[in-house]
Structure formats: C-alpha cells, structure tokens
Amino acid sequence: MTQDEIAALLSEGRTLVLGSHGPRGTIHMVPLWYVVLDGVVWSWTYARSQKARNLAREATASGLVELGDRYDELRGVLIEGRAVLSDDPVLVRRVGEGLLARYELGSAEAAEAMRRSASKRVAIRLEPERIVSWDHRKLGGRY
C-alpha cells in the first residue's frame, strides 16, 4: 500500500490490536482504540494495566489494524517497533480528547469521565521501525 493508502486505512480503522511481551514470555494481545496525532499512532491505558507494565519492561511492540470480512476484502497495516509510554498530563489529556472526538464520545458525561481517569493513565506512542501493509482487493481474485 502507498503511504496515502496506509493513512486512509488508519483513519478508517477502529481498533488497534497491540502486541507486547507478557511476564511469562507469551505475547499479550489487546484491542485498543487509537488516534493518529501529527502522523503518529497514539492510544492510552491505565498506568497499572498489564500492557503498560509489559511495555515499561520491554518496549518492543506490534500494532495491527485490519479491515474486511472476506479474504478477498482483507487489508491491513502492521506496525512493528517500540511503544513509548508518557505520563505527561498534558499529552495524556490530548490523547484522551483525541479519542473522545474520534469515537464520537462527545457527551458531557464522557468528557468528565475522561478527565477523571486521565491522571491514572499513560499515553502510548507507537514508533514504527517497520510497517507491513496488504490489500487483498488488489489481487483480482488471484491468491
């Protein structure tokens, strides 16, 4: 996929599956909502969550966004790299506000819940070292 196609898929996608190294050596996979800010994929989580502890211990991570229901419709982006955690309250709140806007959670109650939980959260920046993409719609039925 081209850079524009990758950006469009990330804009259209709704869930990032984040893979980190769990404490027992297995891969810990979790679905996250995400937002692209200034061309960078961001999410957030509670600072005491398993994924945050995993990433604090070992920053190597992968993030997958995939769309399509049938094999000939599948397209996706796999971001391999490092996940950088930040507890900067301004940044955490910016990510939270981005998530509110992206997922249309603009009610006063949702905004207040975001503000209350922000102090317990960390922002996650996914820094790509390698990006792999695919679009089976371009295969023309040839697999």
Side-chain angles (χ1 to χ4, degrees):
M1 296 172 69
T2 67
Q3 292 299 320
D4 287 344
E5 289 170 327
I6 290 171
L9 184 136
L10 291 175
S11 177
E12 185 180 343
R14 303 290 289 172
T15 305
L16 172 84
V17 178
L18 180 72
S20 62
H21 294 274
R24 291 175 299 285
T26 60
I27 303 302
H28 182 244
M29 306 291 292
V30 293
L32 294 171
W33 282 354
Y34 67 96
V35 63
V36 178
L37 301 172
D38 303 322
V40 177
V41 174
W42 290 89
S43 190
W44 73 348
T45 189
Y46 286 102
R48 298 180 69 181
S49 69
Q50 185 63 58
K51 64 188 139 314
R53 291 193 312 257
N54 291 349
L55 295 169
R57 183 181 59 256
E58 168 58 57
T60 304
S62 294
L64 170 68
V65 177
E66 188 171 47
L67 302 174
D69 293 320
R70 295 189 338 244
Y71 188 79
D72 63 341
E73 299 172 338
L74 293 179
R75 56 195 169 112
V77 174
L78 173 64
I79 301 168
E80 299 174 340
R82 304 184 63 73
V84 178
L85 302 178
S86 174
D87 61 0
D88 174 354
V90 173
L91 179 58
V92 171
R93 186 166 174 162
R94 181 175 179 222
V95 171
E97 290 169 348
L99 292 168
L100 281 175
R102 184 170 200 276
Y103 293 93
E104 300 175 359
L105 304 172
S107 70
E109 296 83 14
E112 180 56 30
M114 183 277 297
R115 282 189 284 280
R116 280 195 316 270
S117 72
S119 65
K120 301 174 192 171
R121 293 183 179 265
V122 292
I124 303 170
R125 180 179 75 236
L126 195 51
E127 291 186 347
E129 294 174 358
R130 179 175 181 241
I131 296 176
V132 179
S133 64
W134 56 94
D135 186 345
H136 288 191
R137 299 171 309 171
K138 294 179 177 183
L139 298 175
R142 297 179 313 277
Y143 309 110

